[in-house]
Amino acid sequence: MKMLHDNLGVNEKGHLTIAGVDTVVLAKEHGTPLIVFDENKLRENCRIYKESMARHFGENSLALYAGKAFCCKEMYRIAADEGVGADVVSGGELYTAVSAGFPTDRVFFHGNNKTDAEIAYAIDNRIGYFVVDNREELDAIQAIAHKKGIVQKIILRATPGIDPHTHAKISTGKVDSKFGTAVETGQIEALTDYALELENIDLKGYHCHIGSQVFDIDPFCDAADIMLDFIAKMREHKGFEASVLNLGGGFGVRYVQSDPEIDYDKNIGEISEHVKSKCSSLNLKMPAVLMEPGRSIVADAALTLYTAGSVKTITGYKSYVSIDGGMTDNPRYALYQSEYTVYCANKMNETPDFKCTVAGRCCESGDLIQENVLLPSPKRGDIIAVLVTGAYNYSMASNYNRVTRPEVVSVKDGKAKVIIKRETYEHMTALDV
Ligand code: LLP
């Protein structure tokens, strides 16, 4: 059986394994739903970016792990250990990074609506850079930096006007976007003028992010062209030469066999060749290039295990297999009709010939994990595995229907350790008065 990713396998009992560990045993020992991360894979994914960016873009480049994909202290410890930076989008993500001892000078604070309290908290924690979304925010950062007597490094978030051909809800670089300030309308130029005048602001460069789950590299190259043309224009018109260009995140990940294989090093190499030749044609000094991978660091490092409950066939229609989780731990099918590979982890050698919809347990018809799945005659008590759930699953989890959030473990050298405890009813009601 050809597995989707090289850290998955099937053992002599016919059970699915991740990093060589039997998932059925994990489900028995830890309970379900259970998210299982392969620590070596997480580290390997960080290293691919770090090494590849250093090789192609030079030593002053930096990969920033986008914590929105999966955020917990252990993840920041791993990212710190592997020498990548971090993209945080809220006080909560920053707090998690700080609590994990993450070096804050490698933190970039994103978001289209940072509150004054978050700005002050980030400055107090000496974060490296703010990625400034708009003029009002710049005013707020200037005022708070002034009050605290510091000069704050920033980059400006530009919307380059690129359509990356991904799901509309995860496309962000178009001119009509709630994120950033547009290049096309001239507003980013006006914001540059303004930033350069502010006493407590040190403008270093620009950021753009076109969208997520993008397989093609052309949109990244197109965005880089627009940004570099703009940087050249700022040099000519204002004598300002940006030293930082952050190209955002967004590389796609294989969720199903029909998704293309992706060679991240090759992609980074091609984008760097493009950027280098564009810089030389504009006679620009190559800026420090940053990228912000989230999904491609964590997605394929994890899977989710559930226990099957009711198996129901509606005569003449279809069959449903219900699991003990669903949109509360993985809302991605409900939101984006995302594709997933689903297995019966305890019956990997049996023929998957029962076509069904795998449904969650919420009071919501849209609470589905996947439709048209083939499983080997599923029964109550079987362990259902959903692959590639490391990104935007736990981080988007909710307590809808007062369902508790799953436990998260990481496996390494044959052993599992808990990295996020299972939520209990007591945790869930702790804030109720
Ligand atoms: N940088 C910025 C400014 C971003 O907005 C994002 C993702 C990233 C980096 C990381 O992108 P990645 O490498 O993970 O594609 N919940 C959606 C994805 C939303 C992405 C939001 N921004 C999903 O489940 O598909």
Side-chain angles (χ1 to χ4, degrees):
M1 181 180 212
K2 168 123 172 57
M3 302 303 281
L4 195 61
H5 293 287
D6 58 8
N7 59 343
L8 303 169
V10 178
N11 67 13
E12 63 295 343
K13 292 185 188 137
H15 294 176
L16 176 68
T17 61
I18 177 165
V21 179
D22 187 321
T23 58
V24 180
V25 173
L26 285 173
K28 193 172 277 172
E29 287 176 356
H30 292 265
T32 57
L34 181 70
I35 300 179
V36 185
F37 273 92
D38 167 359
E39 181 178 332
N40 286 339
K41 187 79 173 171
L42 282 175
R43 290 183 178 275
E44 185 188 314
N45 289 345
C46 290
R47 273 175 222 159
I48 289 173
Y49 272 98
K50 186 171 163 62
E51 288 166 12
S52 178
M53 287 188 66
R55 198 166 51 252
H56 297 297
F57 283 113
E59 289 299 330
N60 63 353
S61 66
L62 185 63
L64 310 173
Y65 167 62
K68 68 205 82 179
F70 174 61
C71 181
C72 70
K73 291 184 192 173
E74 180 68 0
M75 188 58 222
Y76 283 118
R77 281 183 211 116
I78 291 173
D81 211 31
E82 293 300 333
V84 297
D87 143 4
V88 303
V89 290
S90 68
E93 286 185 359
L94 177 58
Y95 178 85
T96 311
V98 168
S99 313
F102 195 90
T104 53
D105 58 332
R106 299 208 305 255
V107 170
F108 283 62
F109 198 128
H110 268 279
N112 64 312
N113 193 15
K114 304 166 187 75
T115 66
D116 287 358
E118 285 175 322
I119 294 168
Y121 176 64
I123 290 179
D124 288 344
N125 279 286
R126 305 261 180 279
I127 61 145
Y129 293 75
F130 281 94
V131 184
V132 176
D133 189 272
N134 57 65
R135 184 172 171 135
E136 283 69 26
E137 186 177 293
L138 188 52
D139 282 335
I141 296 171
Q142 158 61 30
I144 296 168
H146 180 74
K147 207 157 114 202
K148 293 186 183 286
I150 64 136
V151 174
Q152 177 62 51
K153 283 186 286 188
I154 66 152
I155 57 177
L156 298 175
R157 178 164 181 168
T159 33
I162 293 284
D163 182 354
H165 303 295
T166 186
H167 193 286
K169 285 186 191 156
I170 53 176
S171 170
T172 47
K174 293 194 249 178
V175 175
D176 179 1
S177 165
K178 74 167 184 168
F179 299 105
T181 300
V183 177
E184 191 181 299
T185 59
Q187 283 163 295
I188 190 78
E189 181 167 347
L191 192 59
T192 300
D193 283 333
Y194 189 56
L196 288 171
E197 276 166 22
L198 296 174
E199 206 187 318
N200 298 86
I201 294 293
D202 181 9
L203 175 62
K204 294 289 189 193
Y206 299 94
H207 166 275
C208 65
H209 171 76
I210 54 173
S212 196
Q213 186 63 354
V214 182
F215 285 102
D216 190 4
I217 67 154
D218 292 348
F220 292 97
C221 294
D222 294 347
D225 280 349
I226 292 169
M227 296 309 300
L228 290 165
D229 281 333
F230 176 71
I231 288 172
K233 187 172 163 197
M234 291 306 95
R235 180 188 57 184
E236 273 145 46
H237 292 192
K238 308 179 198 297
F240 168 64
E241 187 157 355
S243 57
V244 176
L245 175 59
N246 182 335
L247 294 174
F251 281 167
V253 165
R254 277 191 98 209
Y255 285 88
V256 290
Q257 294 285 3
S258 57
D259 283 335
E261 301 261 4
I262 306 148
D263 182 339
Y264 297 105
D265 177 61
K266 184 166 166 272
N267 281 0
I268 293 168
E270 284 175 22
I271 295 173
S272 97
E273 283 314 309
H274 190 89
V275 168
K276 282 178 197 157
S277 89
K278 182 77 181 171
C279 283
S280 91
S281 75
L282 293 166
N283 198 21
L284 265 185
K285 190 165 160 267
M286 174 98 158
V289 174
L290 315 183
M291 293 183 93
E292 288 168 345
R295 191 190 304 274
S296 48
I297 300 268
V298 290
D300 64 0
L303 52 77
T304 306
L305 302 172
Y306 302 98
T307 301
S310 59
V311 178
K312 183 193 286 186
T313 296
I314 310 166
T315 314
Y317 289 83
K318 59 179 172 176
S319 301
Y320 286 89
V321 174
S322 293
I323 52 168
D324 56 354
M327 66 188 287
T328 44
D329 59 83
N330 183 358
R332 298 193 66 256
Y333 186 77
L335 283 172
Y336 326 111
Q337 301 74 51
S338 305
E339 288 188 287
Y340 280 103
T341 302
V342 184
Y343 288 134
C344 199
N346 53 316
K347 296 179 180 168
M348 293 298 286
N349 292 337
E350 295 180 27
T351 311
D353 52 7
F354 182 82
K355 193 173 180 183
C356 57
T357 291
V358 175
R361 48 174 303 178
C362 287
C363 297
E364 182 106 1
S365 301
D367 175 18
L368 306 176
I369 289 287
Q370 202 66 194
E371 295 180 271
N372 300 315
V373 174
L374 285 171
L375 293 175
S377 52
K379 300 271 178 306
R380 187 178 182 89
D382 280 343
I383 301 301
I384 304 295
V386 180
L387 308 186
V388 195
T389 55
Y392 305 109
N393 276 220
Y394 195 89
S395 64
M396 294 175 79
S398 77
N399 288 129
Y400 181 44
N401 290 170
R402 286 246 148 159
V403 172
T404 53
R405 282 175 297 173
E407 183 173 308
V408 184
V409 295
S410 84
V411 293
K412 190 181 177 194
D413 303 331
K415 291 196 198 71
K417 75 170 178 196
V418 177
I419 61 170
I420 303 180
K421 292 180 191 160
R422 185 172 299 286
E423 196 171 31
T424 63
Y425 293 149
E426 289 74 28
H427 294 136
M428 203 172 46
T429 52
L431 304 178
D432 291 7
V433 178

